[in-house]
């Protein structure tokens, strides 16, 4: 992964550990103050060269907030390596790459025209141990996104095992849930003034697969084609 122009990962993590002294114990607790604090932290990271590439939509008791994914967290989808000492696991996701509209009225049309992509979220330990996981805003290590929209079923394979995880991307109830999360993320972006084309992560399909169970070469295959490939090393 590339690094930001004026920030290395150690400095980045240090800023996150200090975020509001870990005071936020839930998403709904003092929600507007939390959003303002998050916006200030995002601005400070952008001032050091970070560029937002996407958002993770976090939900707790029907309260939604968006967590930014920066340029240095976006991994190559065919040649990345991850060390077991740096990551805790991987989550298979569906995500959408869409343009944030100017107004909330336009959100439904953007959602209706969207097509899901397969992504892998690379997880790490919480940075701020005092905060609720939904308030540990930058809780992922990175994200891998396939280039093309997913079509039908796909599977997650590993070279060191015959175990295969199979997924579907077309069930109406699944797509309705993912599009609902996409809508919430777009509404938040419009409300808080984040404009641009972004990836929106919409939640896990099966929970986290621990990193030590993915040692070796990992692939996501769709329609007989490898659309994501990465290695887990020691």
């Amino acid at each position: 992964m590339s690094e930001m122009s004026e920030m290395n990962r150690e400095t980045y993590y240090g800023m996150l550990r200090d975020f509001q002294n870990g005071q936020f114990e839930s998403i709904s607790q003092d929600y507007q103050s939390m959003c303002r604090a998050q916006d200030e932290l995002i601005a400070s990271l952008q001032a050091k060269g970070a560029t937002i590439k996407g958002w993770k939509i976090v939900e707790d008791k029907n309260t939604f907030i968006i967590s930014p994914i920066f340029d240095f967290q976006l991994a190559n989808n065919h040649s990345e390596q991850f060390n077991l000492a740096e990551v805790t696991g991987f989550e298979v996701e569906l995500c959408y790459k869409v343009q944030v509209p100017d107004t909330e009225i336009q959100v439904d049309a953007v959602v209706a025209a969207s097509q899901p992509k397969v992504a892998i979220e690379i997880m790490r330990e919480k940075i701020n141990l005092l905060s609720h996981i939904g308030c540990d805003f930058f809780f992922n290590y990175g994200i891998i996104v396939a280039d093309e929209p997913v079509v039908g079923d796909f599977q997650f394979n590993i070279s060191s095992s015959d175990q295969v995880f199979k997924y579907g991307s077309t069930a109406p109830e699944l797509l309705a849930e993912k599009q609902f999360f996409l809508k919430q993320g777009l509404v938040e972006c419009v409300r808080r003034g984040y404009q641009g084309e972004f990836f929106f992560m919409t939640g896990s399909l099966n929970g986290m697969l621990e990193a030590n169970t993915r040692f070796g070469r990992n692939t996501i295959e769709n329609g007989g084609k490898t659309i994501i490939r990465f290695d887990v090393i020691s």
Side-chain angles (χ1 to χ4, degrees):
M1 293 185 184
S2 61
E3 294 292 344
M4 291 181 288
S5 57
E6 296 182 26
M7 181 178 295
N8 58 36
R9 195 172 292 277
E10 182 179 352
T11 302
Y12 169 79
Y13 284 178
M15 292 178 67
L16 271 55
R17 280 191 295 269
D18 294 338
F19 175 67
Q20 293 294 299
N21 297 316
Q23 72 181 43
F24 297 113
E25 297 176 353
S26 74
I27 292 177
S28 57
Q29 176 192 16
D30 200 6
Y31 182 76
Q32 294 304 326
S33 293
M34 184 180 65
C35 289
R36 287 193 294 270
Q38 187 193 32
D39 289 340
E40 291 174 4
L41 182 55
I42 289 171
S44 69
L45 292 167
Q46 290 174 320
K48 293 180 179 293
T51 300
I52 296 174
K53 291 294 186 179
W55 302 91
K56 172 80 176 194
I57 301 110
V58 179
E59 184 266 341
D60 182 37
K61 299 178 181 178
N62 297 317
T63 300
F64 293 85
I65 196 165
I66 48 179
S67 174
I69 299 165
F70 290 105
D71 50 352
F72 76 106
Q73 294 173 292
L74 193 61
N76 186 287
N77 58 22
H78 272 78
S79 63
E80 207 71 47
Q81 290 187 334
F82 301 99
N83 194 296
L84 285 172
E86 297 178 340
V87 301
T88 58
F90 304 90
E91 290 188 357
V92 179
E93 312 269 15
L94 291 182
C95 75
Y96 298 84
K97 188 175 184 179
V98 297
Q99 182 78 30
V100 174
D102 295 328
T103 67
E104 191 173 329
I105 296 174
Q106 300 168 293
V107 166
D108 284 339
V110 173
V111 172
S114 63
Q115 293 181 290
K117 294 174 178 282
V118 178
I120 300 288
E121 189 173 12
I122 306 103
M123 309 302 291
R124 56 153 176 79
E125 298 289 350
K126 285 180 64 179
I127 288 176
N128 193 324
L129 297 179
L130 299 177
S131 284
H132 181 280
I133 184 62
C135 303
D136 190 26
F137 294 114
F138 309 81
F139 57 84
N140 57 28
Y141 182 90
I143 176 178
I144 312 171
V145 183
D147 293 324
E148 301 297 330
V150 65
V151 178
D153 297 336
F154 60 98
Q155 60 187 39
F156 190 12
N157 306 323
I158 184 169
S159 61
S160 59
S161 171
D162 294 332
Q163 187 178 39
V164 175
F165 290 94
K166 296 183 178 180
Y167 306 90
S169 65
T170 57
E173 62 274 15
L174 172 68
L175 291 180
E177 178 187 33
K178 301 308 177 187
Q179 288 178 336
F180 176 73
F181 273 77
L182 172 60
K183 179 177 179 178
Q184 304 311 309
L186 287 168
V187 168
E188 275 283 282
C189 279
V190 172
R191 184 180 73 84
R192 292 167 62 182
Y194 292 106
Q195 296 294 322
E197 185 179 54
F198 302 116
F199 291 107
F200 286 84
M201 304 291 292
T202 58
S204 174
L205 292 179
N206 73 331
M208 186 180 77
L209 299 173
E210 293 186 4
N212 59 12
T213 69
R214 308 306 299 178
F215 187 78
R217 171 146 295 183
N218 291 261
T219 59
I220 295 282
E221 296 182 6
N222 178 229
K225 179 181 179 182
T226 298
I227 59 175
I228 290 176
R229 182 175 64 246
F230 66 94
D231 294 323
V232 177
I233 62 176
S234 60

